Amino acid sequence: MPSTNPESLMKDFTPYVAKDGEEYMNENQLAHFKSILLNWKQGLMEEVDRTVNHLKEEAVNYADPNDRASQEEEFSLELRARDRERKLVKKISQTIERINEDDYGFCDECGIEIGIRRLEARPTATMCIDCKTLAEIKEKQIGG
């Protein structure tokens, strides 16, 4: 069973078109992003269900140690991927909570607007592109 890129599970959506003079992170925009996040979360949860079913169906006690090792490696890779996705589901849930608390779309570091296009590309973003870039530069300098 091939592993799926978590970002590819974001369902297709129509990019948001802001009206002239529209307030940033108004009710329509928040609903747009909440819909994207809920669909993404649903896709991830469906992937988890598929993995569980796959593991149950494919679990065979092979007599050949090489076959058994191959199967164990495949399962290990799948479970690692699902663990990353589980963490992403948690992050998506936290982001939905930020929307519910009207605390979405602004940079945690400097407070400016993150921007609709950046949020459509990465709906769980908590930093504007400038602050994120600086954080990544600092991380590389520290060696982390």
Side-chain angles (χ1 to χ4, degrees), residues 41-91:
K41 184 176 177 180
Q42 180 64 37
L44 289 167
M45 299 306 290
E46 289 170 4
E47 193 64 25
V48 167
D49 290 343
R50 279 192 289 277
T51 298
V52 169
N53 290 333
H54 174 70
L55 293 176
K56 285 179 183 176
E57 291 170 3
E58 298 297 318
V60 175
N61 193 6
Y62 290 109
D64 180 16
N66 291 325
D67 290 339
R68 195 167 43 246
S70 294
Q71 181 186 47
E72 287 174 11
E73 180 64 19
E74 176 192 344
F75 286 0
S76 175
L77 290 171
E78 270 189 66
L79 291 171
R80 218 172 312 148
R82 294 302 88 79
D83 187 52
R84 282 193 303 272
E85 290 171 1
R86 180 188 55 78
K87 291 174 185 170
L88 181 55
V89 166
K90 183 178 179 185
K91 190 171 186 177

Side-chain angles (χ1 to χ4, degrees), residues 4 35 47 103 123:
T4 307
S35 172
E47 193 64 25
D103 186 31

Side-chain angles (χ1 to χ4, degrees), residues 10 13 16 23-38 40 88 90-109 111-128:
M10 275 184 28
F13 62 90
Y16 189 85
E23 183 182 341
Y24 181 71
M25 284 302 129
N26 62 44
E27 194 174 309
N28 291 335
Q29 291 176 13
L30 291 172
H32 172 72
F33 287 107
K34 191 170 188 175
S35 172
I36 290 171
L37 289 159
L38 289 170
W40 192 12
L88 181 55
K90 183 178 179 185
K91 190 171 186 177
I92 291 169
S93 294
Q94 291 169 340
T95 303
I96 292 169
E97 189 59 34
R98 288 183 75 153
I99 290 173
N100 293 340
E101 294 171 357
D102 204 24
D103 186 31
Y104 179 74
F106 297 90
C107 180
D108 284 353
E109 296 294 317
I112 68 165
E113 298 175 359
I114 292 174
I116 291 173
R117 296 300 163 244
R118 172 159 167 70
L119 289 170
E120 284 180 335
R122 174 130 347 243
T124 57
T126 59
M127 286 190 254
C128 68

